[in-house]
Amino acid sequence: MKKYSILLLILLAVFGCDRDDGNFNPFSKAQLFTSAIGQLDETTIALEIPIAVNDFSSISDVSQGINSRRWTIDTGMAILKPTFKPEDSLNLSAFISGSGRSSSESKIFFLFQEPGLKEVKVKQLFDKQVNYLGQTAVQEGANWALETTFKYEVFEDINAEARISNEDGSQQLGVLTAAQNPDSSDTSGFQTITIEAGSILTFTDLTTIGNPDSRIWNFNGGSPEDSTEENVQVSYNRLGEFLVDLTATRDARGLTLRAAEQTKTLPYIIKVIPSTQPYVISGNGNAVDDGEAIGTNIIQFRVNGELADVSGSEADFTVNAVNGIFNSDITVNTVAINTTDATLVVLTLSELIYNTDTVTISYAGTTITSVDMRTLNTFTSVPVDPFFRNVLQPASNPSFENAVNNDRNVNTLGYNLFVGGGGNDLANATNSDGTLQLNRSTERSSNGDASLKFDADMPLVAGFLSLSNTLIPNSAIAAGDHKLTFDIYMEPGSQFNGIFNRVIGGDPVNETILFNTPVTGEWFTVERSFTNDATLNGNIIFNFRNNDNVGITGRQTFFIDNLKVLVVENRP
């Protein structure tokens, strides 16, 4: 008996000392830990861990009952010495181990030296069968082998690239390549792009290296001065020489990929010289909302270059307003440059003008100049477009933005559908494929994210569909003269003539609004006028009728959006 006890002690000593930690453990349990994955499980082990090139990560084997392990790493990676600590990360190259691409340490640190998809594998040998992360150990001789793979997506350093082209992008004027990293403090090697004041250049972010998410442009001397767009058109109105900076950025991802960015100066000097073009007014003038309930005393107009000086030019302007028997020149009190757009001249008048007036503006001076030293040409009787206040408030859901889950409301808050053909049967407003002939849609919009879609074969089975906006009273539209306007988008191939409109409480109540479609595949606006003698408390109703579309056959598809009720200002 004594001999057997001694033999047992010897066996325990031999096999117990062959464990990874030197101590006998009757339990076998596989367990790995890495700070790169918050919760390690069957799902997360299959995901690629994002990390940047020249960064490091680690994995610890904290298994029980393990006999041995062997880590192996991909090419383009390096194992760091066991003495490495995270605080040594500023000198990673000094800690690269000479052990090659494998290790038997319980904790392994490794450096990513190349971008791409990389793997770290660990093969563990246990004295008993174990299950871990959806895998079961397989027997190899006297041991049970378990293999686990960690996958990494290694991101390159961001390397900004860009292109400069003319306004329409048809001619390339310059490029910033990945091989370049220009020094903005030494522009002696920069090329010069010479343009006239008022010219527009197009800048395109071509950065792909490093998988950037966004960018920030800085256009010294340009308008806009900054942009986050991939393609941006920049106007240069000031004389001088200017540089452009591009910062490409990448957001942090997961627990391992830190946010990153790179800023480069494009190796080009944008040299802006005086324009050879005449300095002229661009388009019509327009009346501007001055906050008054009726009328305005502010108008503005645009010129083709940034303004330098407008002082002392009040007497050089003639503003004329005509309305019936009224015909008068209105004195200009002040002339100023718009504070946010230096190509706009702002005139403040001594009297109000109204949107039923026919207003023109003339200029006969020599005092207005541009930043590139041009003098504004004179002009005569340029029309001033009127300003109309919209009194249909968001509370009336004029752009179909607020949805409800009810076909009877065409899935839009505040709208009710009545179906003709007897019985108000919704089946008669449903296409053979089950879609509603009138319904809220997010396919197209002229304002916001949604619109009303009409999509039906003509003639309508129901004869007519009637849609009422019941939220009009929410806008408290005061008594007065008004215009109802809305936008239409007619799909190519559709020829719908128009709709029968009712404004309850308006005069006239009824009017057929003809579309007279000027173009398909683009938004256009239609309108009608009405007068209400008291606050408008009734509905606005849209009737889609066969009677107004005689001869129209086949599938008709169009969208309605951006309802407005505009105040018509009659001169007192």
Side-chain angles (χ1 to χ4, degrees), residues 17-153:
C17 291
D18 195 34
R19 300 297 183 266
D20 183 67
D21 58 4
N23 297 308
F24 174 73
N25 191 332
F27 303 103
S28 291
K29 179 182 179 182
Q31 189 169 1
L32 301 170
F33 171 78
T34 175
S35 59
I37 301 176
Q39 179 65 43
L40 190 57
D41 55 34
E42 294 181 29
T43 299
T44 57
I45 190 62
L47 302 177
E48 294 170 357
I49 302 168
I51 197 166
V53 70
N54 298 319
D55 202 351
F56 70 94
S57 190
S58 67
I59 308 173
S60 297
D61 184 356
V62 292
S63 303
Q64 300 179 46
I66 185 170
N67 296 333
S68 64
R69 76 186 62 76
R70 176 60 57 180
W71 304 93
T72 56
I73 62 173
D74 269 344
T75 58
M77 300 175 63
I79 293 175
L80 300 178
K81 295 176 181 178
T83 56
F84 172 79
K85 300 183 294 295
E87 53 265 32
D88 298 321
S89 60
L90 295 179
N91 191 21
L92 287 169
S93 60
F95 286 89
I96 293 177
S97 170
S99 61
R101 294 191 290 111
S102 65
S103 173
S104 60
E105 298 290 335
S106 60
K107 183 173 185 178
I108 181 176
F109 285 93
F110 40 91
L111 171 66
F112 297 95
Q113 298 171 302
E114 295 177 359
L117 296 178
K118 303 295 180 182
E119 291 184 348
V120 175
K121 297 181 179 180
V122 59
K123 182 177 181 179
Q124 300 164 289
L125 297 181
F126 293 88
D127 52 8
K128 295 180 181 180
Q129 189 177 44
V130 295
N131 296 292
Y132 189 52
L133 301 176
Q135 296 194 76
T136 301
V138 295
Q139 191 165 15
E140 289 187 1
N143 296 303
W144 292 86
L146 184 71
E147 293 191 13
T148 305
T149 301
F150 292 82
K151 302 174 184 178
Y152 296 83
E153 181 183 7

Side-chain angles (χ1 to χ4, degrees), residues 469-481:
N469 181 318
T470 63
L471 299 179
I472 298 301
N474 289 351
S475 293
I477 298 172
D481 294 333

Side-chain angles (χ1 to χ4, degrees), residues 209-229:
I209 298 173
N211 300 82
D213 300 300
S214 58
R215 85 286 304 155
I216 301 172
W217 295 95
N218 177 255
F219 303 106
N220 182 27
S223 179
E225 294 182 353
D226 303 287
S227 176
T228 58
E229 297 297 321

Side-chain angles (χ1 to χ4, degrees), residues 447-488:
N447 182 56
D449 298 318
S451 63
L452 176 72
K453 181 180 182 180
F454 177 95
D455 183 37
D457 288 315
M458 294 292 289
L460 295 170
V461 172
F464 72 90
L465 303 175
S466 181
L467 185 68
S468 301
N469 181 318
T470 63
L471 299 179
I472 298 301
N474 289 351
S475 293
I477 298 172
D481 294 333
H482 296 95
K483 290 197 298 185
L484 170 67
T485 72
F486 52 90
D487 300 335
I488 299 288

Side-chain angles (χ1 to χ4, degrees), residues 284-288 298-301 319-320 353 357-361 381-387:
N284 291 349
N286 64 280
V288 179
I298 300 175
I299 61 176
Q300 64 184 15
F301 64 90
V319 176
N320 178 258
I353 58 172
D357 291 345
T358 299
V359 181
T360 60
I361 181 173
S381 299
V382 172
V384 174
D385 297 330
F387 170 74

Side-chain angles (χ1 to χ4, degrees), residues 322-388:
V322 176
N323 196 329
I325 62 172
F326 179 87
N327 187 335
S328 179
D329 291 340
I330 300 175
T331 301
V332 175
N333 283 345
T334 63
V335 181
I337 302 171
N338 185 286
T339 56
T340 59
D341 185 344
T343 65
L344 285 173
V345 180
V346 181
L347 308 182
T348 303
L349 309 180
S350 62
E351 301 176 31
L352 294 176
I353 58 172
Y354 302 89
N355 58 25
T356 55
D357 291 345
T358 299
V359 181
T360 60
I361 181 173
S362 302
Y363 173 71
T366 58
T367 57
I368 295 181
T369 56
S370 67
V371 293
D372 62 331
M373 300 177 292
R374 290 178 290 164
T375 300
L376 182 63
N377 284 7
T378 60
F379 53 85
T380 304
S381 299
V382 172
V384 174
D385 297 330
F387 170 74
F388 286 89

Side-chain angles (χ1 to χ4, degrees), residues 187-262:
T187 61
S188 59
F190 285 21
Q191 298 182 44
T192 299
I193 298 174
T194 302
I195 58 174
E196 293 186 356
S199 298
I200 294 175
L201 297 178
T202 300
F203 294 83
T204 304
D205 178 10
L206 302 177
T207 310
T208 57
I209 298 173
N211 300 82
D213 300 300
S214 58
R215 85 286 304 155
I216 301 172
W217 295 95
N218 177 255
F219 303 106
N220 182 27
S223 179
E225 294 182 353
D226 303 287
S227 176
T228 58
E229 297 297 321
E230 181 177 354
N231 296 281
V232 56
Q233 290 189 325
V234 182
S235 175
Y236 286 90
N237 297 300
R238 292 188 176 279
L239 303 184
E241 296 183 348
F242 308 105
L243 299 179
V244 176
D245 292 331
L246 171 62
T247 300
T249 62
R250 183 178 64 215
D251 298 334
R253 303 182 192 181
L255 301 174
T256 48
L257 185 65
R258 301 175 181 87
E261 65 177 40
Q262 186 201 43

